[in-house]
């Protein structure tokens, strides 16, 4: 059975080093760091993203900013990279045995 | 007549301050800065994006990284912001008289 996954690019401006490190650790559990403040992550359901946002929000200060850009397969195909790496080339679904 | 526009989130890791400022100035001609190293831009055609990439590439050093994430209307709707601002709430097309 194939479980569709939902891919996001997560970008952040977080001033405090400790908070930024903690947010990075949490996001690493969902995907890869592709730039200093950009991760590409995969979640299984919109509710899982909702849970992740709920986990991150209490850590943040008023001035901190995060953006979760949804990337459908079509948008990933039309995205571009200059420099190292490729756009999240994960499959659209993961096999669950 | 309505001209469809193509929206991208542009994220970058650029170490040299002068290069980073110059890239920022160029991107401001296509849209808005939404985070320190993230812009949301609009182009009219894929070729226009190709021209923009061609304009930026010669400015960059080997280690610099840029990602251009295409954001269709559906992806923009399913994107999220924590903190200030909203995801590029431009229309999908601009009216050309």
């Amino acid at each position: 059975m194939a479980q569709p996954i939902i891919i996001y690019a997560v970008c952040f401006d977080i001033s405090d080093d400790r908070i930024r490190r903690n947010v990075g650790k949490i996001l690493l559990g969902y995907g890869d760091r592709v730039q200093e403040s950009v991760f590409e992550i995969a979640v299984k359901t919109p509710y899982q993203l909702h849970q992740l946002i709920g986990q991150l929000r209490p850590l943040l200060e008023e001035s901190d900013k995060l953006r979760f850009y949804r990337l459908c397969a079509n948008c990933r195909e039309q995205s571009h990279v200059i420099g190292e790496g490729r756009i999240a080339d994960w499959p659209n679904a993961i096999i669950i045995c």
Side-chain angles (χ1 to χ4, degrees), chain A residues 12-78:
Chain A
F12 52 77
D13 267 358
I14 296 174
S15 33
D16 181 274
D17 292 341
R18 193 182 45 77
I19 296 174
R20 194 171 51 249
R21 263 195 315 271
N22 290 338
V23 166
K25 272 185 215 155
I26 292 171
L27 291 174
L28 275 177
Y30 291 82
D32 304 323
R33 180 193 295 266
V34 295
Q35 287 183 13
E36 202 46 43
S37 307
V38 179
F39 284 70
E40 289 171 5
I41 67 167
V43 292
K44 291 183 195 124
T45 62
Y47 181 66
Q48 192 180 21
L49 182 76
H50 182 73
Q51 283 181 309
L52 169 58
I53 290 176
Q55 187 184 358
L56 294 173
R57 230 188 253 280
L59 305 179
L60 303 172
E61 292 176 339
E62 184 91 25
S63 61
D64 293 337
K65 299 178 203 165
L66 280 90
R67 289 189 172 224
F68 296 76
Y69 292 113
R70 167 77 199 285
L71 299 174
C72 67
N74 195 35
C75 281
R76 293 199 307 273
E77 251 168 56
Q78 295 179 41

